[in-house]
Amino acid sequence: MRAGTLVAAVAVVTGAVTAAGTGTAAAEAPGVPVAARVGSTAGVDWGECTAEQLSGVPDDQTGLYSCARYRVPIDHDDASLGTIDLALMKRAAKVPGQRVGSLFLNPGGPGGSGLRMPISGDSYFQPQVMDRFDLIGFDPRGVGDSNPLRCFTTAEDSQDVMGAMVPVPVSRNDISGTLAAYRDYGRFCERNAGALLEHMSTRDVVRDLDTLRAAVGDQRLTYAGFSYGTLIGSTYAAMFPQQTRAIVIDGNVDPELRTNDGVTYDLARAQGFEIALDGFLKRCDQAGDACAFSPGDPRAKFDELREHVRTEPITLPDGTEMDLDALTSAVSGALYSPAGFPELGEALQQAYDVLHPSAQNQSQAGGKSAFAKLPVRNGHADVRPDSPYTTDDSYFGVNCADKPIDIAQDEVPGIAAGADRESPTFGRYQVFSDIAACPAWPAAKTSDPYRGPWQAHTETPVLVVSNYYDPATQYRFGKQMAAELGNSRLLSVDAFGHCILGDSKGVDEAAAAYLIDLKVPADGQVFQPDVQPFSTPGQS
C-alpha cells in the first residue's frame, strides 16, 4: 500500500501486559480463547517518535505523532514462551474535542509494515476522519519492527537460498532447484526462527490487536485493513463480535476458502490476475491511441509475447533481456495500479516490436527499455508493489500457518501444469510463489490458525469494499467475504487496481460516514473510481 518507507526501531517505551486469559469470555465466539480486556490490560505508554520515523512529516505536524512499543505474549495461552514487543505509531485526532476513538490500520501482505500508515492517512481517508480519530499504525508480530521473524542469521545464507528460486520455473532443472530451495528455506527457519515461528497465524495477530484495542482505552475496535489486512478484520469480527465497532476492509480475501483450502485459494488468486489482465487488454483495445499496445489485437499480441518468452527471452532496445520471469513480474505489478496502464502498454508494444521489427519501430528504438519503468511485483506479497520490503520471513510465517496446503511437495509440478491451462499467464507464478513453500514449512501443521466460523453477528455491518478488476483479490472474493460474514455490506467498485480507498470519492465519503457516525451505505451500490484507465482526472 501507500504506507511509506520502512522505518528503523521505534522509541523504547514499553508497556507491560498482564496475564492473558483474565478478561470476560462472553464477547467471544465459542471456543475462542480469552484476550486481555479494558481493566486487565496495561495502557500504552506513548512517547516521542524518532526523526527517522517522522521522515517526511512537516515540522508543524510532528506534534500530532507519538510512538511506543507494547509487550504481548508469544503465546496468549502459555506465558512461559516469553514475550515480544509490537511497534506502534499514533497520529492524534486533529480536532480532539470531536474525537470518536482510535482507528487501527493494516496494509496487508502478510508482511506489510503498517507502522507509518498514519503519516499517509490522508491518502485513504477524508479529512473528517483524520479530524475525529487517532490513527494507529502497527507492525504485526514478526513484521518490520515488531520482533521480525528471521530464518537466516546472515545475508549470505538468505541470498544463497532465495537466489536459487526461479519465479516461474518451466524446465525440470529450474523446477527441482526451486523446490529444493524451499526445503532449504524451511530447514533454516526451523533452526533459527525460534518460538515465534509456531505463533504467526492471523488468530495470533487478532489476539494482539484485541489487546492493543483495550490498551488504548477503546471498548470496541474501529479498523481499516487492506488486502491480507481484510483477513485480520474479518477474523476479528468473527472472534470478537461484541468488541467490534466499525470495520472497513478493502481488497478482500475469501476467508473461508483461504483458511480451509489453500491450494484452491491460490489457484483462484491466479485467476484474479488473469481477469484483470484480460480487462486491461480490452480497455487498451478501446483506448486507441491512448494505449500504445492497441494496434491490432492486444490479446493475441500478448499471448504471442508470453509464449515466445517461455522458451526464449526477448532482447529489448536497451540491451536487457526480458524472459518469462521478468514479463510475468512486470505485468502483475503493473496491474496493481491503473495509473501505470499507459506505461504497461508502451512496454508491451516495445517488446512486440522486437518480434515484429519494421523500419518505423527500428528508427524509434533506443534509450531505456519501457519495462524498466514498471513496478515489479514481489512474488511473496499481495500488497501493492510499492510496499516496503521488510527483510523478514513473515510472509510464509503467516501464510503457511493460515492456509492448509495439504499436499506433498512432489505434487507441485503437476499442480503447476494444471494452472498453466487454467491461468496461462499467472498460474505457474502463483503456484511457485505460494503453494510450493508450505509443504516444506516447519510450522505449517503445528500452528493454531482460525478457520471459522465466520458468521458471528456484529452490531454494525462490516463494510466490504471490492473492485471488479482487482488482480490480487478478485471481485468474487469480496462477494464471498460479504456472504460469509454474519453482518456485512458490500460496496462494489467498477475499477481496476488493488484496493480503492483514496481513489474513489463516493467510496471515501461512504467510508467516512460509516466510520464516524456508523451510517451504513445503501445496499447494491456500484461506485466509480475518480480516474478511469487511460484517462486523466476529470474524464469519465
Side-chain angles (χ1 to χ4, degrees):
M1 303 303 297
R2 293 161 294 183
T5 56
L6 180 67
V7 296
V10 295
V12 183
V13 183
T14 304
V17 177
T18 58
T22 57
T24 302
E28 298 182 358
V32 175
V34 178
R37 293 286 179 267
V38 172
S40 65
T41 305
V44 178
D45 189 1
W46 296 103
E48 292 185 1
C49 300
T50 67
E52 186 173 7
Q53 289 168 336
L54 296 178
S55 174
V57 177
D59 290 343
D60 62 349
Q61 296 183 26
T62 57
L64 292 172
Y65 294 89
S66 52
C67 291
R69 296 185 71 83
Y70 195 87
R71 186 158 293 168
V72 296
I74 290 175
D75 183 345
H76 285 265
D77 297 317
D78 183 0
S80 69
L81 290 183
T83 62
I84 55 175
D85 288 347
L86 304 180
L88 308 173
M89 175 183 283
K90 177 174 70 174
R91 180 196 183 277
K94 201 169 183 180
V95 184
Q98 298 179 15
R99 179 182 177 276
V100 176
S102 305
L103 172 56
F104 285 85
L105 308 173
N106 181 271
S113 171
L115 183 63
R116 280 170 48 93
M117 283 189 79
I119 294 175
S120 55
D122 56 0
S123 297
Y124 314 102
F125 303 115
Q126 295 277 291
Q128 58 267 37
V129 175
M130 310 287 286
D131 290 344
R132 306 287 296 277
F133 285 93
D134 294 341
L135 267 58
I136 298 182
F138 67 104
D139 284 347
R141 57 172 52 212
V143 174
D145 286 341
S146 293
N147 202 99
L149 182 76
R150 291 206 169 105
C151 295
F152 302 99
T153 57
T154 69
E156 290 77 12
D157 285 341
S158 175
Q159 290 164 4
D160 286 345
V161 171
M162 301 304 184
M165 296 178 185
V166 177
V168 197
V170 176
S171 72
R172 182 175 298 179
N173 284 342
D174 284 348
I175 290 171
S176 62
T178 299
L179 294 178
Y182 277 123
R183 293 193 296 273
D184 289 340
Y185 193 4
R187 284 190 284 266
F188 273 102
C189 291
E190 191 168 26
R191 188 182 311 137
N192 298 317
L196 183 59
L197 184 67
E198 303 280 347
H199 300 281
M200 285 291 293
S201 75
T202 301
R203 181 203 292 268
D204 294 304
V205 175
V206 163
R207 296 184 73 184
D208 291 344
L209 179 58
D210 193 56
T211 302
L212 294 176
R213 184 266 317 155
V216 300
D218 286 3
Q219 294 290 333
R220 295 191 295 167
L221 178 75
T222 304
Y223 170 88
F226 303 83
S227 196
Y228 159 74
T230 67
L231 184 63
I232 297 175
S234 57
T235 303
Y236 189 95
M239 289 177 63
F240 302 109
Q242 293 184 24
Q243 270 88 281
T244 297
R245 177 186 175 274
I247 290 179
V248 180
I249 43 180
D250 180 12
N252 287 267
V253 307
D254 177 342
E256 178 73 22
L257 184 61
R258 182 181 178 116
T259 59
N260 288 279
D261 187 349
V263 172
T264 301
Y265 175 81
D266 281 324
L267 294 176
R269 282 202 72 213
Q271 292 167 8
F273 279 95
E274 298 287 348
I275 292 167
L277 172 61
D278 192 62
F280 159 77
L281 293 170
K282 289 176 178 176
R283 191 63 63 92
C284 175
D285 190 30
Q286 298 165 1
D289 291 344
C291 179
F293 199 53
S294 65
D297 182 345
R299 177 81 255 182
K301 290 162 64 179
F302 180 84
D303 291 347
E304 181 184 353
L305 279 175
R306 183 192 64 235
E307 294 310 306
H308 182 94
V309 297
R310 281 181 72 90
T311 57
E312 182 182 357
I314 293 173
T315 301
L316 298 171
D318 65 351
T320 60
E321 289 191 340
M322 184 189 74
D323 59 9
L324 183 60
D325 295 339
L327 175 68
T328 310
S329 297
V331 174
S332 60
L335 290 174
Y336 276 67
S337 175
F341 281 9
E343 286 76 16
L344 176 58
E346 179 186 353
L348 292 173
Q349 185 61 41
Q350 188 178 72
Y352 187 78
D353 285 342
V354 174
L355 296 185
H356 299 275
S358 67
Q360 181 180 8
N361 64 50
Q362 284 181 336
S363 67
Q364 294 174 350
K368 195 171 185 179
S369 166
F371 268 93
K373 304 175 186 177
L374 299 179
V376 177
R377 177 189 168 209
N378 174 7
H380 297 160
D382 61 3
V383 291
R384 290 186 182 180
D386 57 353
S387 181
Y389 175 58
T390 56
T391 62
D392 60 53
D393 299 287
S394 56
Y395 181 78
F396 289 122
V398 176
N399 269 346
C400 294
D402 283 347
K403 293 192 291 190
I405 306 290
D406 296 326
I407 59 168
Q409 203 188 47
D410 60 11
E411 296 178 67
V412 169
I415 294 172
D420 278 337
R421 294 187 290 272
E422 294 181 2
S423 302
T425 303
F426 301 106
R428 180 170 293 267
Y429 189 40
Q430 188 66 39
V431 169
F432 281 95
S433 66
D434 281 72
I435 295 173
C438 292
W441 191 257
K445 297 185 183 301
T446 54
S447 298
D448 182 26
Y450 185 81
R451 304 202 190 283
W454 304 97
Q455 297 82 19
H457 187 86
T458 56
E459 181 177 342
T460 304
V462 175
L463 204 62
V464 179
V465 184
S466 189
N467 289 348
Y468 282 166
Y469 300 99
D470 188 318
T473 50
Q474 61 166 295
Y475 179 66
R476 178 167 64 89
F477 288 175
K479 292 198 295 183
Q480 290 297 106
M481 172 71 84
E484 290 161 15
L485 292 177
N487 190 15
S488 67
R489 181 60 46 84
L490 176 64
L491 272 63
S492 302
V493 192
D494 185 9
F496 286 79
H498 186 37
C499 305
I500 194 65
L501 277 176
D503 293 320
S504 170
K505 183 179 180 182
V507 173
D508 296 344
E509 291 176 343
Y514 169 82
L515 289 168
I516 294 170
D517 299 316
L518 301 181
K519 180 180 178 181
V520 182
D523 197 15
Q525 294 187 80
V526 177
F527 293 85
Q528 297 295 321
D530 294 337
V531 181
Q532 290 287 351
F534 302 109
S535 65
T536 56
Q539 292 181 314
S540 60

